[in-house]
Amino acid sequence: RDAAMQGRTATLASKTAISTTWSMTTGLDYTPKSFIVTLLANDGTYYVSEVLAAVVSSGTALQALNVTNAGIRISNPDEFALLGDSEKKDKDFALSSDIDLADSGAWDGPDGYSGHFYGNGYTITGLVLDKTGGDTGLFDKVSDGAVIQDFTVVVSTKLPVEARTAASHFGGVVGLVNGSATIWVKDVQVKGTLDYGPVNVTNCFLLAGGIIGEISPGSDVTLERCVTNINISLDAGNVIGGGFTLGFGGLVGKAFSTLNIKQCYAAGNIMLNHNASKTLIAGGLVGQKYGGSLTIEESYASGNIIAKNIYGSNNQNIIAAGLLGDATSSPNITIRKSAALNEKVLAITGSSYSKSGRLVGMANGTATYQNNRARLDMYTGYTDEGTLNDASGSLTTVAGLGTSLEDFKLKATWTTGSDGLAWDETVWDFSGLSQGKWPTLK
């Protein structure tokens, strides 16, 4: 993974037993946090190790992976601020320590970042997203070629009342993926809160996600092994008028183009309250998918998903779903080997424009559902209490196969291939199931 380490070699003495202890010197001025060893035998056979943790025999502290000579190493908040430098938005960056941004003032993320950001397993705390509009995130906007990987970020919002502008894209990691961009976000975890209310302006739309706010048309985005444990909330006051969309997702608010989600989960709640004639969408993983293809594989959401609009003459859709809120304008959807573990999925309104679903709220076009499950005792519907949705469903329908909590505590439910989810045991940790915990990523 570390470009400066790739290709470093050591020659072992003839007939060295692989089971014995041996060592090699990197010749570098830092120690990689983790690495993979490939052994090439004289007969041309390759042997590749699993990811190994570094051990420093001298007892000195482990140092972070670095990147190429063109990369910029980040070890403190002042260096972290270089991310926002317009002249460096195509450079590679690498964290070499945990970063606390609590005393750094208002964060202004990079606009159009297209480099490779290596988090190296470190944690960014104190990130406050306090803009009232526009593109906002750790990276406000990313462009073609960006790769963002391997860190945890703790985020919060601090937004004034009645200050929302007409275009707001908020994400814990990325506010907006710019048009025609191919990007990759992997091994990223987001914790904290995104609280957007009360907001009383008339003409605004807000698209927010735990990882990404909005993905523009023409883009191709992959989220792999990403986690959000973040609560998203909205209290939108009593304004009338302005038929704009308010869309929220545990991972992505809205995607206009190709989106692939693999081995990810969202554990937080989405709680939305509104009182105006506006579309209100909430999805455990994705709020709204509009155009392009969507694939969700080996992923789950477990928080409560509640979208409530009590404006009596509302003529806009109110949608809530365990995994995907709205995909009525998306031509190609595939959801497979995934689970809706939410206790409540409610779309509450004073009118008849409500949709609530275990896996998906609204969808048309070509949709493929394979080996999906949903919590059997989930409450769905259009009132504050909801209705116990104990329909059995099936592995290949939009409802998913209704599965009891007792069965979800069984490892076989997650790992078997016939009627189970067939999840990869090298990626997932199932040790907490017997204590009522959901799977986590190794």
Side-chain angles (χ1 to χ4, degrees), residues 10 29 40 46 56 61 92 116-118 203 270 274 282 291 310 333 421 438:
D29 61 354
L40 172 60
Y46 282 92
V56 183
D92 292 343
H116 195 147
F117 183 86
Y118 299 80
N203 295 316
I270 301 178
H274 194 47
I310 59 173
I333 302 167
L421 296 167
W438 302 125

Side-chain angles (χ1 to χ4, degrees), residues 296-366:
I296 299 174
E297 181 176 3
E298 209 170 313
S299 300
Y300 73 83
S302 60
N304 291 326
I305 311 298
I306 300 176
K308 182 176 182 178
N309 189 328
I310 59 173
Y311 183 58
S313 58
N314 179 61
N315 61 358
Q316 303 293 323
N317 288 319
I318 310 301
I319 305 170
L323 299 184
L324 169 63
D326 174 32
T328 53
S329 298
S330 185
N332 192 351
I333 302 167
T334 300
I335 302 177
R336 58 175 173 249
K337 301 198 299 184
S338 295
L341 305 173
N342 328 76
E343 181 181 4
K344 294 181 180 180
V345 175
L346 305 175
I348 306 164
T349 183
S351 68
S352 60
Y353 292 85
S354 294
K355 297 293 181 181
S356 169
R358 289 203 302 205
L359 296 184
V360 180
M362 295 180 66
N364 55 24
T366 303

Side-chain angles (χ1 to χ4, degrees), residues 74-75 101 119 123 162 178 242 251 259-260 324 337 342 361 393 413 422 431 439:
I74 298 172
S75 61
L101 300 175
T123 298
E162 298 184 2
N178 209 12
L251 298 179
L259 172 60
N260 301 296
L324 169 63
K337 301 198 299 184
N342 328 76
T413 300
S431 60

